[in-house]
Amino acid sequence: MKGFKILNFSLIILAVILLILLGYHLGKNYDIAIDENDDYIAISYSINEQKMRRLMNLIEHQYVDDLDTDSLVDRTIDFIMENLDPHSMYIPKHNSAGNLQSQNGRYQGIGVEFYSPKDTAVIIRILSNSPNKDKLFFGDRLLAINQKNVIEQNVDSIPAYIESNPEKNIELKILRGGEILKVNVDRGTISSPSVVDFYMIDDRVGYIKLIRFVDSSYDEFHQAILALKKQGMKSLIFDLRGNAGGLMSVAEKITDEFLREDQLIVFTQDKSGKRSYRYATAEGDFEQMPLYILVDESSASASEIVAGAIQDQDAGTIIGRRTYGKGLVQKEISLGDGSKVRLTTAHYFTPTGRSIQKPYAINSEEYKKDISNRFMRGEFFSLDSIKKIDSLKFKTPKGKIVYGGGGIIPDVFIPLDTLRLKYLVYTQEFEQALNYFIFKNLDENLSKFKKIKKEHFIIFYNADDLALKFIQESSTVKHPFEPKDKDYLATYIKARMAEMLYDQETFYRVWRHQDEIINKAYEIAHGME
């Protein structure tokens, strides 16, 4: 009997899989699928498809047990998408709103960031555009949301819970200074900037850090670069490290700023072999400006479109480590009920014709482990460890050799620093211990730090004593420290304190002096003048 039920369930799964592909769901005919641009995709039915439709009718009307069809369909679509390429995915109805927010850089929330040192979510930063700047403060412990206990709840789930709350006003129960308080807070639209820092390094070299490509990213970038040009910028360091990508159209628009009219930015090729080309326009304002783009193993997709176009058109210098290697184009297509599929519909290629998509097999665990495998092979430490394939060799207009087959290999390689402490900062145990140490110090001395203005902190605050204290007290420190290691740690502690006290921009401002890749770009920029 048990085997019979398993067999029936397997038949149902098979039928649903095929019928979803046909646009059929439990007796309802869907002859079209609608994508985000309201394009209609016609579906025709073969003899085999009609046979499966007939089978589904039999199951629907004669199968003895009740079915949770919504859950069944969701699991089935998930199964299908997992067996395509690594970047095609199903977006259930309840996640669609959050996905849209990630594309436009806005979300519904109360404008704070949390940290969980033990079993309680603690507010560590009030965002500048928060509607609750005068109601919530660093160190507030969150106990309940609308009388729902959130102690010992995963801190990562709390923002999503707040976002999904339909009410504009939310009651929080918090612990502040030993006193339990009820605070009514406002839930509003919070904008997440994609340009998290821009400034002049000196009177000639400007710096911009972009962390995502969303609807607002081009405007933010353009405003930043205009502001820097007014301050005398003659060359730009454009930091795309850690930028996992986003909207392809935004990447094209930003790249257009640096290329001459009619220079190719990128082209795509779909299943039928049809190609679509994107060229630079006459709108670019910074075509003659020396440009240095910083990348690393977390720079992906749209970041690679920018870096690849600039490298292939000899329009700038790429500095850092090999990028992630995502050269697939996804299109979000509605399934008609609020859910969507993000389906890979094309490959993209850089102007020389190289694909930067790294190899993958269907449902491959090795693909997911690629970055850690690179680390183990030594690729983060040596340019010679990067495998280059001669058959994927391409040449830029000025004769520079570039390679396809997986990521953008930089023009100037900067290894991950192998000093003992700098290596430890990349380990999870060390990072967790250090974050708690920093939070505890701020929490215990909050009244002191509240009096320090941001600019004063950046220039004058010294964390040497804290670095020494952490070295002496932390069990995660397993090696003797040299003076230069302590200096590095002190700067890192100061930068993380700045991030908790002020904003992400202040973190980067403090950290710049220890950042080898920025320092190398700055050195090259001055050498080119």
Side-chain angles (χ1 to χ4, degrees), residues 86-232:
H87 300 289
S88 290
M89 63 183 294
Y90 175 51
I91 305 170
K93 182 178 179 179
H94 62 272
N95 286 346
S96 289
N99 183 63
L100 177 61
Q101 290 165 1
S102 70
Q103 290 185 12
N104 61 29
R106 296 185 295 274
Y107 65 94
Q108 293 296 310
I110 60 175
V112 302
E113 291 185 9
F114 295 101
Y115 171 63
S116 182
K118 291 185 179 177
D119 61 352
T120 306
V122 182
I123 293 174
I124 58 169
R125 184 156 65 248
I126 316 298
L127 303 183
S128 60
N129 55 2
S130 170
N132 303 291
K133 283 188 286 189
D134 299 324
K135 299 178 180 179
L136 299 172
F137 302 96
F138 180 100
D140 286 350
R141 268 73 170 167
L142 186 60
L143 306 179
I145 303 173
N146 285 344
Q147 300 182 348
K148 173 184 169 63
N149 181 18
V150 293
I151 297 175
E152 297 184 354
Q153 184 170 323
N154 185 345
V155 69
D156 294 333
S157 67
I158 290 176
Y161 178 75
I162 292 172
E163 285 180 40
S164 64
N165 194 305
E167 301 173 14
K168 186 177 186 300
N169 301 110
I170 299 173
E171 181 188 85
L172 303 183
K173 183 189 288 186
I174 62 172
L175 178 65
R176 179 187 298 162
E179 183 181 359
I180 295 178
L181 304 171
K182 289 184 178 180
V183 180
N184 290 313
V185 298
D186 297 317
R187 193 177 71 100
T189 300
I190 309 297
S191 298
S192 297
S194 44
V195 172
V196 295
D197 199 10
F198 71 94
Y199 57 92
M200 293 294 293
I201 295 178
D202 60 16
D203 59 352
R204 298 182 62 82
V205 181
Y207 172 86
I208 297 175
K209 183 166 184 68
L210 185 80
I211 61 170
R212 64 177 70 89
F213 291 84
V214 296
D215 288 336
S216 63
S217 297
Y218 172 75
D219 289 337
E220 291 180 49
F221 171 81
H222 197 250
Q223 289 168 13
I225 202 170
L226 286 175
L228 294 178
K229 198 169 184 183
K230 284 182 180 178
Q231 297 177 54

